[in-house]
């Protein structure tokens, strides 16, 4: 079986492996940061691949799946020349967790930061990574993330500045995803159909793009197993990840979830783990048997290989928060010099009960900021925005809405429209800052009708903003779902989670807990609950803030915020070649000199 | 069962049925042509539909499949505001057979006449129909035609000018297509994969978007039928077309083939037909039992309801030119007042043997121009271009090539690039006008390697050009395929068909036949044969000329011709918002005033 570090490279066409690292010249010894520019040429296209043993169409980069790993250091510049080799689809790539200070046009969000890259065209992403942590990248147009367009992005601390507040002997990266056999094109049609057709549960869970369908690696632990044991040579695209470790060492496991739908839980058989990082921010370490991870989140955990060194151990990843219909994904911790084919004595860890939300909340509340590495939140806020999350109907279609508005992305990206004052590009009436006091979050909406909209929340630059994400009952009685909300361009402090309807005064309870709010870029709202966030609007640009469940965003579950766009210089013209920004350059109606 | 005239309308959302006919004001009685402007608002999106009884994703217009029928009169202007409501795909629509004199930017071909219309955007097609005939429209980007993006376009003679050289009491339109259950996205990946994955034969043939899969309308004629008899209420999306006729009348049947692959043959049980029109040109009438029709062709035939009026009759459409693996499509000729449920006594006409090419050639040779309606070809040509059709490999992928060049469409459309002299938009070295004399068309290519290219054939304006399409052996021994070539922007005279390799001097045989070359826009080359065409390069613009088999064009089987672009006025800016033409307007690097 291949080592984890080679995952994703198998089958990639060699001539696409261009990866030029240009060392910056150190002008003065003291000033030399060692920062480099990492330059990549990537080509996106659909290919056939077997993520779980069944060949399907996958949206790939440079002929492989998942996309190439990027490992950079703080201060590095990443340049990705992204070429679109799809047949009829546009594409963009979002660098999830990278704040894009001063480069909001490189955020890679269709309709927000740029026009999509059309087939045959190339777009230069260019941005600096200024914060160590575990990140990833993914498509941010339609449901191209679910189609397979994602990969790992890791930023290590540089020679200078902050040091990691923990030590380890080696590390592994596990990028988690969920996988369907139906194409996303068909799923998108189902979501926009009357009657509504839900995407249903995934066929498989993938670890670094590898899963098993129609067979199980763990059937021998269960004499009544429904699935036959997998027969593997090790070279298969769907062969499991093998983490080769030495006994009595400490390893860092970087975990990122780019799932389209599933909330996950990860555990290592017979090993506890210590959580040390969340969403690119160090957290107060705590030991746990397992880690909940929602779509859009990343964690680093440490584990020590202090178990029987003559055995191997399973890593299991299972579904939480929805009634699971998908088998666990498995990877192997292979204590060297054991052979990887040595079957673990212990079965894979059992995933906690999917609807044990108290357990989930307890885990989320354990995540606290680490003193000395992350600042505490400002003591007060300048503006509070209440965002009610509801499921609604519009013209017979099922949607999600925020304060009764279902987000519909406009053809002209917000960033260019804001920068050049193209007011016709989107609705200029701001969306509501709150919802009616009388709204009953414990029942299906009394009036299920919502409206579509594309207005944005304009924030005062450098102001402190609180957002309370308020969950509610869906269209079905006694039903409320998990929604992990992800904010682009910012980290926020998670002030707290609560049950029921947020009441003024609940914020006073935050401080009483003595809990140090962690910085994150993604935070979950639990069923029938609320989550309170605080952030500083300090990043000039336009930024989506949305449920990271891809079909939910597709159904309108998001908002767009903007701040300080007037502080930006020119927006690169490559981001403006569509919609009303595309038209704004054409006043010469074609009679300009050609470029030869 | 529904009447043929209502086909395609079932299930269409009523609020999209906007069809405004604006009567032009007649300024003077004598000059009043009655010409009008037909204005349509169309929305393209993927929907679920059951073209053959199995629900699948279909690329639809205004919520229905096939797209709306357009019926216009000579001199009318057609305006279609085409909005793209797809999720991630661009779209264009080509008006097949309409020459687009003075409006080459409305030809609707991605990479040639315009930038694609991106999701959320609207493009105004605007063109005049100047020639009566049977036409259709379809997607011309990727394989969106096969995905279902097509409809009927009929142009009737106006009050003035030419009269139809035949008479009839009523008419029906039958738009023929082939249908696959696999998505075109997956098919496109297969075509670009190593190993090559062919799309295989269609699951069903459709008449006006209606076919039957997994059941047969005709199983009762065959006691050993493999398929059960279809059980139909009549309201199904896949219920067959019913042509309601009165006895002893003459009807015009307009037949158009928008198949992705299949060459077809149509026959009416117990009725002969008289061919009177081909590709929008009147032809010398001849009677026949059945009609061969290749992808991209249209015919009008007349038939007289002179059979037993107490019976109904089948129309059958079957595959020719490839080993059929698809059942016939059937429609019903319903002699009133019989009920449509009255089963025809005679079984559906049997489609002629698929590989009886002599029969096919005999049919094609019967198509002759009609004196008094179409001019004869110019006596001589100014330039002859020999186009060798070969199957090749490039980097392990299977392609089609013309004179060893496989066409790869560039991101900047040719029309804008030519008009504004953007030479970097495509290769400026012209492609070869011929192929080596020594090439052995009877064997697989000795060297299978071809190159990709995007250079074009620049023609002198108003020159007469001969094209000899030379077929050859594919990559498989003893194999050569049918290719129906379609030219945009022009009609050509089909000078003749021949077997084997075209020899100088073969053209002298044309006149000896006494055959009057017909005008067409699509002409087939038979296996191991050649077809000689003549046309006048009299239409300023850039025009694709390609095999109308959609996967073949996708694999590079086409060329682009251009003439007189300097004679055009400004090209509308909406066609230029991509590639290098998109960039050419942005020299102001964004610092222009916004449009409020």
């Amino acid at each position: 079986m291949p080592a984890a570090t080679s995952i994703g490279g198998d089958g990639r066409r060699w001539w696409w492996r261009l990866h030029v690292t240009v060392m910056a010249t150190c002008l003065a010894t003291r000033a030399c940061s060692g920062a480099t520019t990492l330059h990549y040429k990537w080509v996106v296209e659909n290919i056939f691949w077997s993520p779980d043993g069944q060949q399907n169409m996958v949206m790939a980069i440079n002929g492989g799946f998942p996309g190439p790993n990027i490992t950079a250091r703080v201060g590095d510049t990443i340049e990705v020349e992204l070429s679109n080799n799809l047949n009829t689809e546009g594409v963009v790539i979002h660098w999830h967790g990278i704040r894009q200070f001063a480069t909001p046009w490189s955020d890679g969000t269709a309709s927000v930061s740029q026009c999509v890259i059309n087939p045959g065209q190339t777009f230069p992403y260019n941005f600096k990574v200024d914060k160590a942590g575990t990140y990833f990248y993914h498509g941010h147009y339609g449901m191209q993330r679910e189609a397979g367009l994602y990969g790992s992005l890791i930023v290590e601390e540089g020679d200078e500045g902050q040091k990691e507040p923990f030590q380890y002997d080696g590390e592994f990266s596990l990028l988690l995803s969920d996988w369907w056999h139906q194409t996303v094109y068909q799923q998108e049609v189902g979501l926009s159909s009357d009657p509504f057709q839900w995407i249903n549960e995934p066929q498989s869970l993938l670890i670094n793009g590898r899963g098993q369908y129609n067979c199980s690696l763990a059937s021998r632990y269960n004499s009544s197993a429904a699935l036959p044991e997998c027969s593997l040579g090790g070279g298969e695209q769907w062969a499991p990840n093998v983490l080769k470790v030495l006994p009595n060492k400490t390893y860092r496991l970087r975990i990122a979830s780019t799932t389209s739908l599933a909330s996950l839980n990860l555990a290592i058989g017979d090993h506890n783990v210590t959580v040390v990082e969340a969403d690119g921010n160090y957290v107060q370490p705590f030991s746990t048997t397992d880690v909940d991870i929602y779509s859009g989140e990343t964690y680093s955990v440490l584990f020590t290989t202090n178990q029987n060194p003559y055995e191997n151990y399973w890593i299991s990843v299972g579904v939480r928060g929805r009634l699971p219909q998908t088998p666990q994904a498995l990877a192997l911790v292979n204590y060297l010099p054991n052979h990887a084919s040595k079957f673990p004595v212990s079965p894979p860890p059992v995933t906690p009960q999917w609807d044990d939300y108290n357990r989930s909340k307890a885990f989320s509340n354990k995540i606290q900021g680490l003193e000395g590495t992350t600042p505490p939140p400002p003591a007060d806020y300048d503006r509070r925005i209440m965002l009610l999350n509801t499921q609604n109907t519009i013209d017979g279609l099922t949607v999600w809405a925020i304060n009764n508005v279902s987000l519909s992305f406009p053809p002209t990206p917000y960033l260019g429209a804001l920068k050049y004052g193209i007011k016709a590009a989107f609705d200029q009436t701001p969306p509501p800052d709150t919802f009616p006091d009388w709204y009953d979050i414990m029942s299906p909406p009394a009036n299920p009708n919502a409206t579509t909209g594309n207005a944005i929340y304009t924030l005062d630059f450098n102001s402190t903003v609180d957002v309370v994400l308020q969950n509610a009952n869906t269209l079905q009685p006694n039903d409320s779902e998990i929604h992990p909300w992800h904010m682009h361009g910012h980290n926020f402090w998670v002030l707290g989670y609560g049950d029921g309807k947020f009441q003024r005064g609940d914020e006073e309870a935050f401080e009483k807990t003595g809990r140090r709010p962690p910085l994150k870029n993604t935070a979950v709202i639990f069923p029938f609950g609320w989550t309170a966030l605080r952030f500083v609007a300090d990043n000039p640009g336009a930024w989506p803030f949305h449920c990271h469940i891809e079909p939910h965003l597709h159904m309108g579950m998001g908002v767009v915020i903007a701040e300080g766009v007037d502080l930006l210089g020119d927006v690169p013209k490559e981001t403006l070649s569509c919609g009303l920004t595309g038209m704004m350059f054409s006043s010469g109606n074609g009679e300009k000199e050609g470029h030869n």
Side-chain angles (χ1 to χ4, degrees), chain A:
Chain A
M1 294 183 184
T5 48
S6 74
I7 299 298
D10 311 66
R12 188 152 302 154
R13 294 176 191 169
W14 63 269
W15 60 87
W16 273 333
R17 285 181 187 243
L18 187 63
H19 173 169
V20 183
T21 303
V22 182
M23 294 301 291
T25 307
C26 294
L27 295 177
T29 309
R30 258 197 95 206
C32 176
S33 68
T36 66
T37 296
L38 303 173
H39 187 78
Y40 301 88
K41 284 177 184 281
W42 286 0
V43 178
V44 174
E45 62 182 344
N46 281 320
I47 63 170
F48 288 129
W49 197 264
S50 295
D52 61 3
Q54 178 169 313
Q55 183 174 282
N56 270 289
M57 187 167 58
V58 175
M59 195 166 283
I61 296 173
N62 292 359
F65 168 74
N69 296 330
I70 293 181
T71 303
R73 302 181 82 195
V74 168
D76 286 353
T77 297
I78 294 178
E79 290 181 3
V80 177
E81 286 182 52
L82 190 71
S83 296
N84 181 353
N85 202 26
L86 300 166
N87 289 297
T88 53
E89 284 178 82
V91 77
V92 294
I93 285 186
H94 168 58
W95 315 93
H96 184 108
I98 307 299
R99 288 168 298 171
Q100 304 286 359
F101 276 121
T103 54
W105 39 78
S106 277
D107 192 45
T109 46
S111 285
V112 181
S113 66
Q114 68 172 111
C115 296
V116 297
I117 311 161
N118 275 330
Q121 306 208 288
T122 299
F123 181 87
Y125 289 101
N126 193 310
F127 55 91
K128 209 162 182 170
V129 288
D130 61 355
K131 199 162 190 297
T134 304
Y135 306 106
F136 59 106
Y137 60 83
H138 61 79
H140 211 294
Y141 187 40
M143 286 172 50
Q144 293 182 341
R145 189 174 91 234
E146 186 186 312
L149 190 56
Y150 45 76
S152 176
L153 169 54
I154 288 168
V155 181
E156 300 172 342
E157 293 289 3
D159 291 334
E160 304 195 348
Q162 204 162 25
K163 298 284 176 235
E164 282 169 347
F166 46 83
Q167 293 187 315
Y168 48 96
D169 303 300
E171 71 174 72
F172 300 94
S173 173
L174 301 183
L175 180 60
L176 312 181
S177 58
D178 40 12
W179 184 245
W180 281 256
H181 293 168
Q182 188 182 42
T183 67
V184 296
Y185 311 106
Q186 291 161 310
Q187 291 190 5
E188 286 167 342
V189 174
L191 294 173
S192 303
S193 287
D194 180 11
F196 180 67
Q197 296 187 27
W198 177 237
I199 66 170
N200 297 319
E201 296 301 307
Q203 271 67 62
S204 52
L205 301 178
L206 309 180
I207 302 176
N208 291 330
R210 292 158 175 270
Q212 295 82 37
Y213 177 76
N214 266 345
C215 74
S216 170
L217 298 172
S219 57
R220 68 173 64 178
Y221 301 104
N222 181 354
S223 60
S224 63
L227 291 172
E229 186 159 313
C230 297
S231 171
L232 274 155
E236 296 85 358
Q237 290 168 345
W238 52 283
N241 296 267
V242 176
L243 285 58
K244 294 186 179 299
V245 298
L246 294 172
N248 296 310
K249 301 283 185 186
T250 296
Y251 293 91
R252 178 179 190 169
L253 206 54
R254 295 177 179 269
I255 316 164
S257 175
T258 185
T259 57
S260 181
L261 173 63
S263 303
L264 300 174
N265 179 278
L266 179 143
I268 309 177
D270 299 332
H271 293 72
N272 279 358
V273 299
T274 300
V275 179
V276 294
E277 182 221 336
D279 295 1
N281 298 284
Y282 299 122
V283 299
Q284 197 168 308
F286 65 96
S287 178
T288 177
T289 54
D290 57 273
V291 178
D292 281 339
I293 180 165
Y294 300 95
S295 178
E297 288 189 323
T298 69
Y299 284 105
S300 283
V301 301
L302 303 179
F303 72 100
T304 300
T305 49
N306 53 9
Q307 296 300 302
N308 182 345
Y310 301 105
E311 302 295 344
N312 292 329
Y313 301 87
W314 289 116
I315 295 177
S316 70
V317 177
V319 172
R320 297 203 72 203
R322 306 179 67 92
L323 179 65
Q325 297 175 30
T326 314
Q328 288 180 331
L330 299 178
L332 192 75
V333 176
N334 174 206
Y335 273 56
L336 295 177
N338 301 329
H339 196 277
S341 64
K342 183 175 169 65
F343 238 75
V345 173
S346 302
V350 174
T351 300
Q353 178 70 18
W354 71 272
D355 57 354
D356 185 352
Y357 291 115
N358 287 334
R359 197 181 193 285
S360 305
K361 291 170 192 172
F363 179 83
S364 291
N365 276 308
K366 282 185 196 156
I367 311 294
Q368 298 188 51
L370 180 62
E371 210 167 330
T373 66
T374 55
D380 212 349
Y381 60 88
D382 300 307
R383 177 178 177 184
R384 174 184 283 164
I385 300 173
M386 308 286 299
L387 298 179
L388 176 67
N389 290 233
T390 52
Q391 197 179 36
N392 300 84
T393 56
I394 298 178
D395 293 338
L397 304 182
T398 303
V399 301
W400 290 95
I402 305 307
N403 293 351
N404 221 42
V405 180
S406 184
L407 179 61
S408 171
F409 284 115
T412 305
Y414 291 103
L415 183 60
L418 286 165
K419 176 65 188 171
Y420 301 111
I422 304 176
K423 294 184 177 172
F426 60 91
D427 184 1
Q428 297 294 305
T429 305
D433 258 25
T434 189
F435 58 93
D437 275 345
W438 49 257
Y439 192 91
D440 177 10
I441 68 146
M442 300 305 290
S443 305
N447 174 2
N449 292 328
T451 58
T452 56
N454 59 26
I456 67 174
Y457 292 92
T458 305
L459 308 178
D460 290 340
F461 186 64
N462 271 335
S463 64
T464 299
V465 180
D466 273 17
V467 171
V468 178
L469 292 160
Q470 176 66 61
N471 212 337
N473 200 105
T474 66
L475 291 168
Q476 308 302 320
N478 303 312
D479 183 53
S480 183
E481 295 188 7
I482 278 179
H483 303 289
W485 275 74
H486 171 64
M487 186 177 284
H488 294 225
H490 305 77
N491 286 310
F492 47 67
W493 289 272
V494 184
L495 299 180
Y497 306 91
D499 293 328
K501 196 166 174 177
F502 181 86
Q503 306 290 339
R504 296 196 179 266
D506 279 348
E507 60 268 46
E508 292 171 16
F510 299 153
E511 291 183 16
K512 290 182 187 160
T513 63
R515 181 177 164 274
R516 187 182 174 94
L519 271 175
K520 293 186 93 259
N521 60 52
T522 304
V524 67
I525 52 173
F526 291 103
F528 299 110
W530 52 260
T531 299
L533 315 173
R534 180 166 296 172
F535 67 98
V536 180
D538 58 359
N539 194 358
W543 311 103
F545 175 41
H546 61 90
C547 178
H548 207 258
I549 293 177
E550 201 166 36
H552 286 187
L553 174 59
H554 189 74
M555 294 161 71
M557 197 168 208
V559 299
V560 173
I561 62 175
E563 71 229 28
V565 173
D566 53 312
L567 303 175
L568 293 169
D570 275 343
V571 171
K573 59 185 186 300
E574 294 92 345
T575 71
L576 303 171
S577 61
C578 63
L580 296 175
T581 46
M583 299 303 242
M584 95 182 160
F585 297 119
S586 54
S587 53
N589 71 1
E591 272 304 357
K592 294 197 176 182
E593 284 181 26
H595 295 195
N596 297 346

